[in-house]
Amino acid sequence: MYRSAENEIVEEVENQVHPPTSITLKINGTETRLHVAPWTSLLDALREYLDLTGTKKGCDHGQCGACTVLVNGKRINSCLTLAVMKEGTDITTIEGLAQGEALHPLQKAFIEHDAFQCGYCTPGQICSAVGLMNEGKAKTRDDVRELMSGNICRCGAYTNIVDAIEEVMHTQPAPCHE
Amino acid sequence: MNSFSYSRARDVAAAVDEVALPERQAKFIAGGTNLLDLMKENVMHPRHLVDITHLELNTIEDTLEGGLRLGALVTNADTAYHEQVDTRYPLLSKAILAGASPQLRNMATNGGNLMQRTRCYYFYDTATPCNKREPGTGCSAIRGFNRIHAILGTSEHCIATHPSDMCVALAALEAKVHVRGPHGDRAIPFADFHRLPGDTPELDNNLQPDELITAIELPPQGFADHHSYLKLRDRTSYAFALVSVAAALELDGDTIREARLALGGVAHKPWRDPEAEALLIGKSATRESFQLAAEKILQGAKGFPYNEFKIELARRAIVRAFEQALTNEK
């Protein structure tokens, strides 16, 4: 979302009525303090205030899954989450999955299995897959398909996405990221 | 989304006090999955949100009567996967897992699931009249594209459906909704929680604006041996029901001792008819018996130009769901 001069004026007026709240979030392992309005979604806080633009805004209504991040290890839609309500939580975004130059196994598998074309849904798909593995409920290919249904891929890379997840799931049954 | 002020409630009493000030036009927020969506669409515009996520309503506990008490703030995912729920009330687990997506189920709470609003397109579209959104403006669905709308209990003012899967199972299980208001606690039988539209379609349920859901109580009888939740929709995952059926049986050999039947996607509330269930008692668990119950519960069903198909779909789905309940398949 581009912040135009007009938006900034509106924001300034609203800030006088409802002063921003100061919150602390642990984002990708780093304690981060920021000032947000009550209506700032976690998605907008990540993208607009912290420049963590890996998390994508797709539908902004909880239907596409592009904004999926992990809060205390659980996958959620950051577009339907108010940042102020997540004070004190531990948030992992796509930027927090790799260890330095070493990609997360799911990131590697997505590349190896050609699990994307345009890539817009990919950060959400990968965070969702990390959440799926933490939950440990998916046993079969059909389970993976069902439990990844909250992530839409406009390019239709579903077959390869499921291949990538299945491979990591079967080589790394234990939770791979908390 | 409109601007609003925000506060975090310390305890249940404080939460009720905070939401009760009428000039605040306040709403409770927990999972936020439906409320924030509706606020982004400018369908709902509270001036204040009371965050209840820190209240201690997040446990699942046995009741003295031998049932289970589900805290209002336990997420739908944690409820569905809870060992006791899954073992003793698998109908409820299956219904929850048939709804929404894993991300949404990780956010959405049990209390919020009851409070979610219809997905009628016209309710969401602020450019069109809607009696639920703006009483007195008219119903766009009655003469509009009404494929997803109700066939039972409609009124000339509203033909919206309740979107929940979880609530269909809770209706079949005869759950109770525990609420706290400024004057204390009360328990609402599930059948009396949601409303039919009548001439006040703006009211989805009988919860007062200053009351907070604290828990959902499940009675001891969970129908773990013979149950089925059958959900029919336009795609096999992550879609609202066109018709869904919660069916449960208690059998003595081949004879039906007790039966429960609730429908989703067909009315403004989960639809039950005790007479349809009574018809099954003492009968053999056969297709013919299930057809009788289906005829009875659908008596008075009225289709609209685009959803007439739901009547036959529901009839067949009921029979299929009972047949599945016999063997607990899927």
Side-chain angles (χ1 to χ4, degrees):
Chain A
M1 185 175 59
Y2 176 67
R3 290 166 86 183
S4 65
E6 196 184 327
N7 277 349
E8 278 173 25
I9 293 168
V10 171
E11 210 167 279
E12 205 174 293
V13 172
E14 284 176 341
N15 285 348
Q16 289 164 13
V17 186
H18 302 293
T21 311
S22 172
I23 57 167
T24 304
L25 306 171
K26 192 171 179 184
I27 298 175
N28 298 327
T30 308
E31 295 278 347
T32 311
R33 193 166 184 76
L34 66 166
H35 299 275
V36 291
W39 52 87
T40 306
S41 68
L42 178 59
L43 173 61
D44 285 344
L46 292 169
R47 290 182 57 86
E48 305 295 327
Y49 292 74
L50 302 170
D51 289 333
L52 290 168
T53 53
T55 307
K56 297 293 185 267
K57 184 181 274 195
C59 68
D60 207 23
H61 288 280
Q63 296 174 6
C64 76
C67 69
T68 303
V69 300
L70 300 149
V71 175
N72 297 336
K74 290 189 175 176
R75 49 178 165 164
I76 59 136
N77 301 107
S78 62
C79 73
L80 290 183
T81 303
L82 296 177
V84 283
M85 290 177 70
K86 293 299 152 194
E87 160 89 342
T89 58
D90 194 339
I91 292 160
T92 305
T93 68
I94 190 71
E95 290 91 345
L97 290 182
Q99 304 286 322
E101 291 297 302
L103 292 181
H104 185 281
L106 277 162
Q107 290 175 308
K108 247 191 262 176
F110 266 62
I111 294 169
E112 279 159 16
H113 287 272
D114 196 18
F116 50 85
Q117 287 180 41
C118 82
Y120 197 83
C121 73
T122 312
Q125 297 276 3
I126 291 178
C127 284
S128 188
V130 172
L132 173 142
M133 291 189 58
N134 288 348
E135 290 156 14
K137 302 296 177 191
K139 307 289 179 219
T140 65
R141 188 174 178 87
D142 277 351
D143 293 344
V144 174
R145 284 160 52 91
E146 167 61 27
L147 293 173
M148 286 297 293
S149 69
N151 293 80
I152 311 295
C153 171
R154 172 62 180 78
C155 305
Y158 295 111
T159 311
N160 296 359
I161 291 170
V162 177
D163 285 347
I165 296 170
E166 267 203 303
E167 184 196 280
V168 180
M169 206 171 81
H170 293 138
T171 51
Q172 287 201 321
C176 56
H177 190 91
E178 284 293 346
Chain B
M1 189 172 353
N2 63 279
S3 57
F4 55 85
S5 51
Y6 165 88
S7 61
R8 213 171 277 162
R10 291 184 318 279
D11 53 44
V12 173
V16 170
D17 283 349
E18 283 190 50
V19 93
L21 302 167
E23 67 277 15
R24 262 190 157 177
Q25 296 174 42
K27 287 271 176 204
F28 296 120
I29 184 165
T33 56
N34 192 210
L35 179 61
L36 292 177
D37 187 30
L38 289 164
M39 288 170 69
K40 287 182 184 193
E41 297 282 6
N42 205 24
V43 174
M44 291 178 74
H45 13 72
R47 306 300 302 170
H48 183 84
L49 291 183
V50 180
D51 177 356
I52 56 169
T53 52
H54 297 268
L55 305 184
E56 290 177 0
L57 302 172
N58 52 3
T59 55
I60 294 183
E61 288 163 359
D62 289 321
T63 63
L64 292 174
E65 295 75 27
L68 215 52
R69 191 180 164 96
L70 314 173
L73 290 174
V74 183
T75 65
N76 286 179
D78 286 346
T79 304
Y81 291 126
H82 189 272
E83 193 255 331
Q84 287 295 307
V85 178
D86 189 36
T87 312
R88 294 162 59 192
Y89 305 93
L91 172 64
L92 180 60
S93 288
K94 287 173 186 169
I96 293 173
L97 294 176
S101 69
Q103 288 96 317
L104 291 169
R105 294 194 294 264
N106 278 342
M107 304 163 75
T109 61
N110 291 336
N113 193 300
L114 271 58
M115 297 304 291
Q116 65 178 310
R117 311 208 64 190
T118 185
R119 265 42 173 215
C120 172
Y121 332 112
Y122 303 102
F123 175 67
Y124 264 79
D125 181 355
T126 55
T128 61
C130 168
N131 286 325
K132 184 179 277 300
R133 180 168 27 78
E134 277 180 78
T137 55
C139 173
S140 301
I142 287 176
R143 273 175 219 68
F145 184 57
N146 40 39
R147 176 175 158 76
I148 64 167
H149 291 79
I151 53 171
L152 286 159
T154 56
S155 78
E156 59 182 312
H157 305 292
C158 181
I159 60 170
T161 59
H162 193 262
S164 170
D165 291 293
M166 180 182 187
C167 289
V168 182
L170 291 173
L173 292 167
E174 295 193 340
K176 257 189 251 168
V177 186
H178 290 272
V179 311
R180 167 81 62 87
H183 310 296
D185 295 329
R186 67 178 178 128
I188 308 171
F190 208 80
D192 301 331
F193 187 81
H194 294 103
R195 296 168 62 98
L196 289 179
D199 52 13
T200 51
E202 68 277 16
L203 301 175
D204 297 342
N205 55 61
N206 289 312
L207 194 75
Q208 299 304 305
D210 54 2
E211 284 182 319
L212 175 70
I213 300 174
T214 54
I216 298 161
E217 185 186 334
L218 301 174
Q221 169 68 292
F223 298 93
D225 290 339
H226 298 290
H227 66 275
S228 170
Y229 188 73
L230 177 63
K231 180 176 182 182
L232 303 174
R233 41 187 160 170
D234 282 328
R235 56 177 187 231
T236 52
S237 183
Y238 199 16
F240 290 99
L242 289 167
V243 169
S244 72
V245 184
L249 293 167
E250 182 71 35
L251 296 172
D252 186 358
D254 187 34
T255 307
I256 299 169
R257 279 176 43 192
E258 201 176 349
R260 298 281 174 80
L261 173 61
L263 307 180
V266 296
H268 200 258
K269 62 187 283 188
W271 192 262
R272 267 187 81 195
D273 178 354
E275 287 180 32
E277 294 167 10
L279 271 182
L280 288 171
I281 304 206
K283 296 243 171 37
S284 300
T286 61
R287 171 171 287 209
E288 291 67 37
S289 307
F290 303 143
Q291 280 167 341
L292 278 179
E295 289 303 327
K296 181 77 190 84
I297 197 171
L298 291 166
Q299 218 171 45
K302 177 185 150 213
F304 293 87
Y306 292 96
N307 75 354
E308 199 90 42
F309 72 97
K310 279 193 178 187
I311 300 174
E312 183 59 23
L313 189 68
R315 185 176 287 127
R316 294 178 188 211
I318 292 165
V319 175
R320 170 74 61 86
F322 273 124
E323 288 182 337
Q324 288 181 346
L326 289 179
T327 53
N328 265 3
E329 69 179 88
K330 177 90 187 184

